[in-house]
Amino acid sequence: MGNKKLLRWDTGVWVGTAEVCGSRSGIQLRRTCALLSSSSESSPAPPAGVTPSGRCHAPACRAVPMGRWGRAGQGQGQHKTEEFRKVNVLMKVPALKDGSFTLAESIAILLYLVQKFKTPDHWYPADLQKRARVDEYLSWQHTNIRPVVFSPCQVLLPLITGQPLPPEKLELATEELNVALKEFEEKFLQDKPFIAGSEVSLADLVALVELMQPVCAGYALFEERPALAAWRSRVEEAVGKELFLEAHQDIMNVKNLTADQFAPELLESFKQHLLKQN
Amino acid sequence: MPPALAYCFAKQNQHTPALAVNGLKAENLTEEFRKVNVLMKVPALKDGSFTLAESIAILLYLVQKFKTPDHWYPADLQKRARVDEYLSWQHTNIRAKGIFPLMPQPLPPEKLELATEELNVALKEFEEKFLQDKPFIAGSEVSLADLVALVELMQPVCAGYALFEERPALAAWRSRVEEAVGKELFLEAHQDIMNVKNLTADQFAPELLESFKQHLLKQN
């Protein structure tokens, strides 16, 4: 199970991030990331200003398997280069570049990859009704899960501003999250092993990656929810536990970050953005 | 929005809408409807024993089930990706912004101003990122993305904000979409929404009105 990959890369399809923490729907910590390259050794050269080594933290990128990951060195601001800007006019993450074709929006990217690389059917089933279940969750999560999972940025805010997160904000965030989790269990999971039925799909992957955010920020949401915890185990097993942990390594360690690891202009940009949203 | 959208789409494709939705009546609070949609939210689809929520999921289901003309949701991966890209982005960038409540009560001026400002930002992004200089979002042909986009933008228009008036590119796009869909059909679908300003509170079933009110107060 550990070496089972979700996708096989034959061509140099590049998935990267254009900006740290730029999402409007939810605050996500994203590092400057290089590119997901094919498992082949001769990958095309990355766009100027980005070097190939490291990891991508946008949930979409975490949800796809890593052939070789790129890291551009944390916080070096390369993401603001003109080259990347061409890829994503909105300067938001994540972004995909396939030849001259560029694409934003993590869900759209996932769907593109799944269909382009003809991954095993269960990820995005051909069966209309199973597929509809996946689409239903992918649609709902934008406004019901994404905005309410508190993020590494909420953990980072005190770090950057030097002030602790106000307790009432934390309480409100927890309350909203609890409502969303309840809806998730009752409407999407119910008594099925996975969202689409008997097999894991993109919906479970996206859901779990989102729910890891509060966990990584210190809120053990699976602890008092046995049904969700069981579902989580099933998804991790289906994906491959090792792969999953690897993908979440940096996020799990987000609380160990210190401000000096960020380039100053990035830190400032972060701060402005976070203050605006909180 | 979603009822107008699906109505429009289903009719254009010669299929009776399988949707049991009329947002202005109390039917959606009945037990029958509740069975269809556990979350008590609209819209919902029922196809035999299969039930489905979320307007985007419903549209995709209809398109694929009824094998509608390719341009609505193209088989070509990259064109399809453009549609998916918009459908994903719109949830939190158009839908959530400048949604003028349909209640027959005006918004307080400062809220209206903020809502308008946010809508303007969204419209700018829409023009620059999704439309650019193409006739439609996915390229040369109309798709689900244009339909969803236009129906969303009709909301503020129906609430009195003439957003197309100073945006010639958007206005031109709108004409193209309406023409592709069929102008008559479009107006028909929007009839109730266009007349929303003529609604008076007594046209709503009391329990629905109360439920609406609670929901809106929570959001504002």
Side-chain angles (χ1 to χ4, degrees):
Chain A
M1 260 307 167
N3 60 356
K4 181 176 167 185
K5 291 198 169 172
L6 290 169
L7 299 171
R8 286 206 41 201
W9 300 95
D10 303 303
T11 61
V13 175
W14 302 93
V15 179
T17 55
E19 174 157 37
V20 189
C21 205
S23 165
R24 195 195 292 261
S25 63
I27 303 176
Q28 315 253 6
L29 171 64
R30 293 176 172 102
R31 307 262 182 93
T32 21
C33 158
L35 305 143
L36 172 66
S37 72
S38 106
S39 52
S40 78
E41 285 305 310
S42 55
S43 305
V50 184
T51 55
S53 62
R55 269 189 187 96
C56 172
H57 297 284
C61 299
R62 276 187 269 142
V64 299
M66 290 136 297
R68 268 179 10 215
W69 290 94
R71 165 180 298 209
Q74 193 177 342
Q76 283 174 22
Q78 279 115 330
H79 53 283
K80 296 216 169 141
T81 62
E82 224 18 68
E83 188 62 46
F84 232 131
R85 209 180 190 291
K86 278 186 231 155
V87 175
N88 196 327
V89 178
L90 289 174
M91 297 271 279
K92 298 252 168 78
V93 296
L96 172 146
K97 191 162 160 44
D98 184 0
S100 62
F101 176 69
T102 61
L103 186 63
E105 292 295 313
S106 59
I107 302 300
I109 289 171
L110 281 172
L111 293 173
Y112 180 77
L113 294 174
V114 156
Q115 291 169 98
K116 172 154 179 150
F117 294 107
K118 296 181 176 45
T119 58
D121 179 73
H122 63 82
W123 291 115
Y124 195 55
D127 175 86
L128 272 200
Q129 292 187 0
K130 287 183 190 167
R131 176 174 289 205
R133 285 278 162 258
V134 178
D135 288 333
E136 189 184 45
Y137 178 77
L138 293 180
S139 170
W140 180 82
Q141 60 86 29
H142 282 280
T143 46
N144 291 277
I145 290 281
R146 272 245 205 127
V148 301
V149 291
F150 36 96
S151 63
C153 282
Q154 275 165 303
V155 172
L156 281 180
L157 185 62
L159 182 74
I160 292 171
T161 61
Q163 285 151 24
L165 196 66
E168 64 275 10
K169 279 205 188 280
L170 193 61
E171 200 180 309
L172 179 63
T174 311
E175 212 175 279
E176 287 181 337
L177 179 58
N178 287 338
V179 169
L181 291 174
K182 186 165 185 282
E183 283 184 35
F184 175 66
E185 276 195 69
E186 292 179 1
K187 164 70 182 171
F188 295 96
L189 206 48
Q190 295 171 16
D191 54 356
K192 299 168 284 168
F194 298 102
I195 293 169
S198 55
E199 289 187 281
V200 72
S201 70
L202 279 185
D204 303 285
L205 211 55
V206 170
L208 187 50
V209 166
E210 285 294 351
L211 295 186
M212 286 307 285
Q213 302 260 46
V215 171
C216 300
Y219 177 55
L221 69 93
F222 290 104
E223 263 173 38
E224 292 183 16
R225 293 181 175 86
L228 276 194
W231 163 77
R232 170 190 177 176
S233 301
R234 288 191 292 270
V235 179
E236 285 180 348
E237 203 190 309
V239 172
K241 215 177 175 93
E242 217 177 272
L243 186 63
F244 202 77
L245 282 174
E246 192 185 331
H248 280 88
Q249 202 170 316
D250 280 342
I251 291 261
M252 293 294 254
N253 290 330
V254 74
K255 285 166 80 179
N256 298 331
L257 287 175
T258 48
D260 55 296
Q261 289 173 267
F262 291 84
E265 66 276 11
L266 193 60
L267 202 67
E268 190 53 37
S269 160
F270 238 161
K271 186 172 163 184
Q272 291 312 319
H273 188 78
L274 288 172
L275 289 172
K276 216 170 22 159
Q277 298 201 358
N278 283 284
Chain B
M1 179 283 283
L5 182 61
Y7 178 89
C8 211
F9 182 77
K11 270 216 134 175
Q12 222 234 7
N13 287 281
Q14 310 292 316
H15 297 288
T16 313
L19 303 165
V21 173
N22 181 341
L24 298 180
K25 301 222 167 60
E27 270 108 74
N28 52 348
L29 291 180
T30 62
E31 223 18 65
E32 189 58 49
F33 201 78
R34 211 180 188 293
K35 277 186 234 155
V36 174
N37 196 327
V38 178
L39 290 174
M40 297 268 281
K41 300 248 171 78
V42 295
L45 172 145
K46 191 159 161 44
D47 183 359
S49 61
F50 177 69
T51 62
L52 187 63
E54 292 296 312
S55 59
I56 301 300
I58 290 171
L59 280 172
L60 293 173
Y61 180 77
L62 293 174
V63 157
Q64 292 169 99
K65 170 153 180 152
F66 295 110
K67 296 181 175 46
T68 59
D70 180 74
H71 63 82
W72 289 115
Y73 195 55
D76 175 86
L77 272 199
Q78 292 186 359
K79 286 184 190 167
R80 176 173 289 203
R82 286 278 161 258
V83 178
D84 287 334
E85 189 184 45
Y86 178 77
L87 292 180
S88 171
W89 179 84
Q90 58 87 28
H91 282 282
T92 46
N93 291 277
I94 291 279
R95 266 246 203 126
K97 302 274 182 282
I99 294 307
F100 298 64
L102 296 182
M103 294 299 281
Q105 276 161 30
L107 270 180
E110 63 279 5
K111 281 207 187 279
L112 189 61
E113 202 181 305
L114 181 63
T116 310
E117 212 176 279
E118 292 190 332
L119 182 58
N120 286 339
V121 168
L123 290 174
K124 186 164 184 285
E125 284 185 33
F126 175 66
E127 276 196 71
E128 291 179 0
K129 163 71 181 170
F130 295 96
L131 208 47
Q132 295 171 18
D133 54 356
K134 300 168 283 167
F136 299 102
I137 292 169
S140 55
E141 288 187 282
V142 73
S143 70
L144 279 185
D146 304 284
L147 209 56
V148 170
L150 186 50
V151 166
E152 283 294 351
L153 295 186
M154 287 306 285
Q155 301 249 44
V157 170
C158 300
Y161 177 53
L163 67 93
F164 291 104
E165 264 173 39
E166 291 183 18
R167 294 181 175 85
L170 276 193
W173 163 78
R174 171 190 178 176
S175 300
R176 287 191 292 271
V177 179
E178 285 180 349
E179 204 189 306
V181 171
K183 218 179 174 92
E184 215 177 273
L185 186 61
F186 202 78
L187 282 173
E188 193 185 326
H190 280 89
Q191 206 167 316
D192 279 344
I193 293 250
M194 292 294 253
N195 290 331
V196 73
K197 284 165 79 181
N198 299 332
L199 286 175
T200 47
D202 53 296
Q203 289 173 267
F204 290 84
E207 67 274 15
L208 192 61
L209 200 68
E210 190 53 38
S211 161
F212 246 158
K213 185 173 160 187
Q214 292 312 318
H215 187 75
L216 288 172
L217 287 172
K218 218 174 16 160
Q219 298 199 354
N220 283 287

